[in-house]
Amino acid sequence: PRSSIQFFPTRGNAGGEELDEKQKEEVIPVALAAFHLQPLIECFANVPGGGLNPAVASNAIIPVVENLLLLQATSRSGLAGYLWKKRDLEDHIDHAFLLAKKALFCSDVEKRKFAATLLVALLRVASVASSLHDIRATSTWCPVIDELRGCLRRCITQHQPSVRIEAYSSLVSVLPSSAIAVFGSTQSQDSVSPHPNVSGVTTTPLRSPNERGRAHVSQAGQKAIINIVS
């Protein structure tokens, strides 16, 4: 319960009094990110061995981990400084990336699809983190993004068609709504007027992103995501 959460004193609140409601709304998700990310990421280790259903991991756990990682990526100052170290975000992404690569070596298609979904989620977080106007952010995240893109590229070129579809679908789902609107209108025109030399062409609808429940991403972060996906 909220009443049981211990808050850190802030300037003007040195006596240890509780924060107001607005400050509580800010610090509660940040505290969740600090204390629950590691065990949630550890759950992914059960996917290759069969202890965790890949579909459950993809649909229920990856979105939560992605949102909490985004909170760490965008909350580096103020109250967040009390709750994690500077390298915690990098360590979490490195760990999740390792588990995704292990799942890619599985022969089971569903486990590979889970790995592709996780790679795209990590790529989204890393791109947002790299969009911060900070020299350290650029030097830290560019190599990570390159590794994630290289691994995802292998998913798209070397794995089964269903894994490729999952990778492409996940990439589309992380795009901001504005980009989806542009691509969607273009696709609608193409589906109504297919190429005259190809009969019976059908277009698979793009999977729209689920904006509900997603962490807020700044305009700079959205541009970085679009650049990475494109």
Side-chain angles (χ1 to χ4, degrees):
R2 295 184 181 184
S3 59
S4 65
I5 297 178
Q6 299 297 316
F7 296 101
F8 292 97
T10 59
R11 184 179 298 177
N13 192 24
E17 297 178 1
E18 285 194 353
L19 305 178
D20 59 33
E21 288 301 318
K22 183 177 181 180
Q23 290 172 316
K24 288 180 181 180
E25 293 295 333
E26 176 188 357
V27 78
I28 287 172
V30 175
L32 289 173
F35 298 116
H36 295 286
L37 255 173
Q38 187 62 31
L40 283 171
I41 293 173
E42 288 288 350
C43 291
F44 297 147
N46 297 317
V47 172
L52 177 63
N53 187 302
V56 172
S58 296
N59 297 326
I61 303 178
I62 289 179
V64 175
V65 169
E66 180 183 8
N67 276 344
L68 295 180
L69 287 172
L70 282 171
L71 281 170
Q72 282 201 334
T74 57
S75 304
R76 289 304 188 100
S77 60
L79 292 170
Y82 290 101
L83 299 175
W84 58 70
K85 300 176 183 178
K86 288 184 177 180
R87 278 202 53 85
D88 280 1
L89 177 63
E90 293 92 317
D91 291 341
H92 287 320
I93 289 184
D94 286 344
H95 187 194
F97 186 22
L98 176 63
L99 297 176
K101 287 190 287 188
K102 287 183 177 179
L104 280 177
F105 284 107
C106 297
S107 58
D108 184 77
V109 173
E110 294 302 316
K111 294 174 183 178
R112 289 181 173 180
K113 288 167 62 176
F114 150 79
T117 304
L118 179 55
L119 287 171
V120 172
L122 297 177
L123 187 60
R124 178 175 184 247
V125 176
S127 63
V128 171
S130 70
S131 70
L132 302 175
H133 299 293
D134 185 337
I135 295 177
R136 179 183 178 276
T138 302
S139 61
T140 297
W141 292 109
C142 281
V144 176
I145 290 173
D146 287 342
E147 285 191 56
L148 287 166
R149 292 179 71 177
C151 196
L152 192 59
R153 191 175 293 112
R154 287 193 292 274
C155 285
I156 294 172
T157 58
Q158 299 178 11
H159 290 288
Q160 295 94 331
S162 60
V163 179
R164 299 177 191 178
I165 292 172
E166 185 66 28
Y168 280 120
S169 182
S170 297
L171 284 169
V172 172
S173 72
V174 301
L175 286 170
S177 298
S178 56
I180 290 292
V182 173
F183 291 134
S185 62
T186 304
Q187 189 187 45
S188 297
Q189 293 176 4
D190 292 341
S191 61
V192 172
S193 302
H195 195 281
N197 295 328
V198 181
S199 59
V201 174
T202 57
T203 307
T204 303
L206 295 173
R207 186 172 74 186
S208 300
N210 181 12
E211 297 291 346
R212 184 179 181 182
R214 275 198 162 177
H216 173 73
V217 177
S218 66
Q219 288 292 332
Q222 292 182 23
K223 289 181 181 179
I225 293 170
I226 293 172
N227 289 337
I228 292 296
V229 172
S230 60

